[in-house]
Amino acid sequence: MVGMLLWKSPGKRERGGQLRERSILHTRFLCTEIVRGPRTPEAVLRRRVMAAVKRLRKHGVAQVVLPEDFPYGELLAKAGLRPVSTLPLRRAIAADWVRWSLREREISPAGARVGVCAAALTGDVVRTVTELALRHRYVLLDLPYGGEELARQLRREYGVSLLLAPSQEQLDGAEALALFDPRTDCAGPGRLRLYDEAAPLPPLSLPPALEEKLPEGVQRGQLLTVLREAGSLQPGQLSVGT
């Protein structure tokens, strides 16, 4: 089960620290609250955080959805916990993220030059390239191997083409690039670092009936990653943009 940490305002009766199961869109989380007020001493807060993460670990939790504004990553690691990784979510929304990025910069998606740069031909890369090729006229694919077979498949099945092994000038001229692996030669606007947990995610929205069931005060990307991986979000329910 995935854990969840929540900040809790000080109260006269209620105390933080108790563990309880919580179902969010039919996905179960083991939650604990950490009391934090504007005057809580830093040393006290660190002790409360450490006690909370130890309780979660004792109950078999290995990864956790964190609250917003959580600067205690070293305490998580010390207890043997890790934050939920948002990398699967970033890669799953890559094509929609490209489209959103173009619209935010008022660039017409139809005529834009977009591309994918990756170190290997993974399932995420195939899906992203396919979605981009069906939406955009000019799609660049920078890949060490495997690109030729994918290009033939897309041409055979959908009648679309890819530009393989683009030059540095062509990469620099692309209005958007989905980077699945670190690149030192691709910088500038529209470069989506899908490998970088610290890079801000685009706005992500759900239908109103689902949005109202999400808790407030947690890191949204982590929560949506868990819900998507658990199958609680169906295709088309998660939208990039407001």
Side-chain angles (χ1 to χ4, degrees), residues 87-88 91-92 94 116 121-130 180 228:
L87 294 184
R91 293 163 180 163
V116 171
L121 187 62
T122 65
D124 289 325
V125 172
V126 171
R127 182 182 61 251
T128 300
V129 172
T130 301
F180 280 81
R228 182 184 175 277

Side-chain angles (χ1 to χ4, degrees), residues 4 6 10 23 91 100 103 106 114 121 146 161 166 178 191 197 203 238:
M4 180 180 292
L6 297 165
S23 179
R91 293 163 180 163
W100 175 82
R103 288 177 174 171
E106 299 182 346
V114 303
L121 187 62
S161 60
R191 275 50 183 166
E197 296 265 12
L238 179 61

Side-chain angles (χ1 to χ4, degrees), residues 113 140 167-175 177 185-187 191:
R113 294 160 296 177
L140 292 66
S167 66
Q168 187 61 49
E169 182 179 1
Q170 289 170 324
L171 289 174
D172 292 341
E175 282 82 11
L177 290 176
D185 57 345
C186 295
R191 275 50 183 166

Side-chain angles (χ1 to χ4, degrees), residues 22-34:
R22 179 173 181 177
S23 179
I24 302 173
L25 301 183
H26 307 293
T27 298
R28 293 188 305 149
F29 295 83
L30 189 60
C31 303
T32 185
E33 296 175 321
I34 304 169

